[in-house]
Amino acid sequence: MTEKPLISIKNISKIYANGTVGLKNVSLNIPAGQFVVIVGLSGAGKSTLLRTINRMHSVTQGDILIDGHSIIHYKNKQLRQLRRSIGMIFQDFNLIKRSTVQRNVLAGRVGYYPTWKSVCNLFSAADKQKAYQALQQVGMGEKLYSRADALSGGQQQRVAIARTLMQDPKIILADEPIASLDPMTTQTVMKDLKQLNRQLNITVVVNLHSVPIAQQFADRIVGLRAGELIYDKLIDQVNSEDFQTIYQSSSSSTDMENAS
Ligand SMILES: Nc1ncnc2c1ncn2[C@@H]1O[C@H](COP(=O)(O)OP(=O)(O)OP(=O)(O)O)[C@@H](O)[C@H]1O
């Protein structure tokens, strides 16, 4: 029996206002609990694809269903609820640098508060406890009162992950989460994501440049090239030649180094 997908992407295309084609007729079904890695050269459309899933980008054509509901026409309350259920991790962490770790993590909860309460920092004791637990989950409990800008890049990314946990997300989208990190911290951050995926059954979709890291962590690898999906395999079916299709006609030495 085929499992009903949590994320169903149906023939989507994205053409930016300046005419650039971001995605061409991409279809993809992701079941709940899967750890999916999207790989491809710079400009292949990875960020565009990820950002259509939480409607940071709208699609030009096609449909996206989350849990069976089309999201492409969502507005106002529906859109806020959608974004509350989807955590997003960015390459540059997106923390408020001059605020404490606790305040940054609580920011993940603002979708559950009326604006005036979150602006006035009126978070409940239960949510402060939840923030501490989220930090503990990524090994950062003792940094609760540190300032975000006093942390290393890897620590900041883990705070960003804790912030998404405050949303009780069904899905975490991570756009190049390790691009600014050294190899050791890369492992820590990827292991955190994998642990949340496995322990909390959060569906994770990650954009990566590094094929070895993709192979280490993914349940499934999806390859994009020039906006098209050209590759989609479960990890046990992947072989090293597969990646040549994605990375062929590379003009970027960085990508080729990472792919090797
Ligand atoms: N806001 C935008 N306006 C116009 N074109 C854009 C915009 N964002 C992305 N693009 C273009 O869409 C295409 C896909 O870009 P996208 O950022 O999705 O690729 P990517 O695979 O994530 O690349 P990278 O690995 O460099 O982040 C590229 O040609 C890019 O220049």
Side-chain angles (χ1 to χ4, degrees), residues 22-237:
L23 295 171
K24 278 186 226 168
N25 203 28
V26 171
S27 294
L28 186 65
N29 285 323
I30 301 177
Q34 203 165 52
F35 195 107
V36 180
V37 174
I38 301 172
V39 295
L41 287 171
S42 194
K46 303 182 296 296
S47 292
T48 306
L49 178 59
L50 212 65
R51 285 158 198 245
T52 60
I53 297 172
N54 65 356
R55 286 277 313 278
M56 280 172 80
H57 287 324
S58 57
V59 294
T60 313
Q61 208 176 293
D63 200 2
I64 299 179
L65 279 64
I66 306 286
D67 235 348
H69 301 283
S70 172
I71 61 155
I72 59 166
H73 298 300
Y74 274 7
K75 289 195 179 89
N76 306 325
K77 190 175 174 198
Q78 281 183 312
L79 196 53
R80 281 199 300 278
Q81 282 175 347
L82 172 78
R83 290 187 176 149
R84 203 164 75 180
S85 69
I86 302 179
M88 183 95 188
I89 309 280
F90 300 89
Q91 174 180 340
D92 56 3
F93 325 127
N94 269 19
L95 299 183
I96 309 161
K97 296 270 193 282
R98 295 168 66 88
S99 281
T100 63
V101 165
Q102 182 191 45
R103 182 69 186 82
N104 271 284
V105 175
L106 283 167
R109 202 69 185 159
V110 295
Y112 289 85
Y113 282 82
T115 313
W116 69 271
K117 276 204 172 185
S118 57
V119 167
C120 299
N121 212 1
L122 294 173
F123 292 99
S124 69
D127 279 342
K128 286 182 182 163
Q129 180 61 21
K130 189 178 172 75
Y132 179 61
Q133 282 164 352
L135 281 164
Q136 278 185 315
Q137 203 135 19
V138 294
M140 293 285 293
E142 82 279 10
K143 298 288 184 189
L144 190 67
Y145 299 113
S146 303
R147 255 174 61 146
D149 56 8
L151 304 179
S152 70
Q155 289 173 327
Q156 289 191 44
Q157 194 58 296
R158 296 164 86 188
V159 171
I161 294 172
R163 181 180 54 192
T164 68
L165 290 181
M166 295 299 284
Q167 299 173 232
D168 292 326
K170 282 192 287 201
I171 299 168
I172 291 180
L173 306 174
D175 197 0
E176 304 278 358
I178 55 169
S180 316
L181 306 179
D182 62 52
M184 227 160 80
T185 321
T186 288
Q187 287 291 320
T188 313
V189 165
M190 290 303 294
K191 281 179 185 160
D192 283 341
L193 288 173
K194 187 81 176 197
Q195 188 188 325
L196 299 177
N197 164 255
R198 290 298 193 253
Q199 288 183 352
L200 306 179
N201 201 38
I202 299 173
T203 306
V204 177
V205 188
V206 189
N207 286 348
L208 290 180
H209 275 243
S210 165
V211 168
I213 300 292
Q215 286 178 295
Q216 187 185 349
F217 290 96
D219 293 326
R220 173 183 180 184
I221 297 186
V222 170
L224 294 181
R225 195 178 65 208
E228 289 183 274
L229 191 154
I230 55 160
Y231 177 92
D232 179 6
K233 281 193 180 179
L234 293 175
I235 195 67
D236 54 8
Q237 295 157 3

